[in-house]
Amino acid sequence: MTDPLSEVIALLQPRAIFSKGISGAGSWGVRYSDFGQPSFCAVLEGSCRLAIDGQPAVTIEGGDFVLLPATPGFTISGFEPVIAERVDPKVAPSPTGEVRHGRRGGRPDVRLLGGYFVFDSPDAALMVSLLPILVHVRGVERLSTLVQLVRDETSEQRSGRELVLTRLVELLLIEALRSTPSGDTPPGLLRGLADARLAPAIRQMHRHLTRPWTVAQLAKSAALSRTVFFERFTRTVGLPPMEYLLDWRMAVARGLLRGQELSITEVAERVGYSSASTFTAAFSKRVGQPPGRFARASGQRCRRAIPPMDPGADRRTPPDAPASRAACWR
């Protein structure tokens, strides 16, 4: 059966960029401005305080894993009062070795592995909006193993390193998101999948994307009345069911237009539209430009007279990636 969470992560196209060891002792604190790219932190030993803008401060300790899908501003510190050092991760240079904060000598109070990566998909904002601001997971051994693999791979320059790191990041994302306690998540895809009544409807939408769904049909798959289903879905996922379905269809369509040599008619059929004209109208309204123009702007080929991509273009770096390897979690 189609797995919506795996589909979302596949369309996000995560790619590993940077990770670094961090430690702190005594009185220390670092304040990071908004970063916009996804970042993570694994606590190897000890504990410290994490305060994310707009969220209650939490203590993170050995065995914990933190994922910030969009990395808003945050402060990480010890437990002693301190004026935090300010860092703009978009412009700060990447450190070349393990970073030590606070007292320089002696055993650290906390050791972390922090890092960031990028989502290559231009549609990342849409799908990130379905994920929690903060994912905080405790005591999941599989995550600890994956973090250690990331740490080992980033410390070496072995063949296949970029591909291995990309796959490890995908695994980290899936493991972290599915390990998140459902009661701790805000409205979004994770909470919807954790709802025993709504999950079948969400999976049906993803599995049968081309079906002309109605709210009544989806409510039936959830064994709920139409009204109860609509209200519960909207409250739990954060979007009305048909709006969620439309957003997902448009996200899949954009992926098809960027990644394959398909005609507009073929793309329309694959995302549930009976004609190219109906799909073009819906796509233009939702995305702000016709699908043909979107495909050309994405540098991909489409059989409707879309010019080929420049063979010299660099396809690895997304246009909105940070200009430098920023020092998030430094």
Side-chain angles (χ1 to χ4, degrees):
M1 180 175 286
T2 299
D3 177 12
L5 182 57
S6 296
E7 288 188 324
V8 167
I9 291 174
L11 278 183
L12 282 170
Q13 301 172 44
R15 178 165 55 86
I17 292 291
F18 173 81
S19 67
K20 184 61 61 177
I22 308 158
S23 63
S27 179
W28 67 278
V30 184
R31 162 68 188 174
Y32 300 92
S33 59
D34 175 83
F35 184 50
Q37 299 290 342
S39 65
F40 66 90
C41 177
V43 186
L44 305 178
E45 62 179 58
S47 61
C48 62
R49 185 174 181 271
L50 173 64
I52 297 169
D53 292 358
Q55 304 290 313
V58 296
T59 295
I60 55 176
E61 54 193 30
D64 285 10
F65 180 85
V66 170
L67 170 69
L68 303 176
T71 312
F74 69 93
T75 300
I76 187 168
S77 67
F79 299 101
E80 299 180 14
V82 67
I83 298 176
E85 172 192 358
R86 291 186 172 271
V87 173
D88 183 348
K90 294 180 180 178
V91 298
S94 295
T96 57
E98 180 170 303
V99 178
R100 179 66 176 258
H101 295 293
R103 188 181 65 247
R104 298 298 174 183
R107 185 180 179 83
D109 297 328
V110 65
R111 289 181 59 246
L112 316 163
L113 178 70
Y116 78 94
F117 47 96
V118 296
F119 292 136
D120 278 350
S121 171
D123 308 318
L126 165 64
M127 286 171 279
V128 167
S129 70
L130 297 171
L131 303 178
I133 295 173
L134 164 67
V135 175
H136 181 195
V137 181
R138 288 188 155 149
V140 177
E141 187 175 346
R142 288 163 63 92
L143 274 172
S144 300
T145 300
L146 289 169
V147 167
Q148 184 60 51
L149 290 171
V150 169
R151 185 182 187 185
D152 293 344
E153 197 65 33
T154 54
S155 65
E156 302 287 344
Q157 291 293 331
R158 292 181 287 187
S159 299
R161 176 178 181 271
E162 183 176 343
L163 179 60
V164 169
L165 284 172
T166 296
R167 295 295 178 262
L168 287 174
V169 166
E170 291 175 347
L171 291 171
L172 271 176
L173 280 169
I174 293 173
E175 194 64 45
L177 292 172
R178 71 183 184 182
S179 299
T180 303
S182 59
D184 296 340
T185 59
L189 179 60
L190 293 187
R191 181 173 283 187
L193 292 174
D195 188 308
R197 290 293 183 90
L198 298 182
I202 295 173
R203 291 193 175 95
Q204 287 293 325
M205 281 189 273
H206 282 249
R207 188 181 188 187
H208 301 290
L209 190 61
T210 61
R211 186 173 295 176
W213 289 107
T214 65
V215 173
Q217 290 171 330
L218 292 169
K220 185 177 181 180
S221 69
L224 296 169
S225 71
R226 184 185 184 281
T227 300
V228 171
F229 171 75
F230 181 89
E231 293 176 350
R232 184 162 169 170
F233 191 102
T234 304
R235 182 178 64 253
T236 304
V237 179
L239 291 171
M242 302 314 290
E243 187 173 342
Y244 174 86
L245 178 61
L246 176 59
D247 280 348
W248 181 246
R249 282 175 167 162
M250 293 299 106
V252 172
R254 283 179 285 201
L256 292 172
L257 290 167
R258 284 193 308 270
Q260 300 184 36
E261 297 180 12
L262 298 174
S263 69
I264 304 302
T265 299
E266 288 171 322
V267 173
E269 291 174 350
R270 292 195 183 193
V271 295
Y273 287 85
S274 59
S275 70
S277 59
T278 304
F279 166 68
T280 297
F283 189 95
S284 300
K285 182 178 181 180
R286 201 68 172 179
V287 179
Q289 58 181 318
R293 186 187 304 167
F294 175 86
R296 289 192 292 271
S298 299
Q300 302 296 329
R301 296 181 60 191
C302 182
R303 289 203 296 268
R304 292 187 61 181
I306 297 176
M309 174 188 251
D310 177 358
D314 183 357
R315 300 178 64 181
R316 295 175 301 171
T317 303
D320 57 347
S324 63
R325 297 201 167 197
C328 196
W329 295 101
R330 80 175 268 240

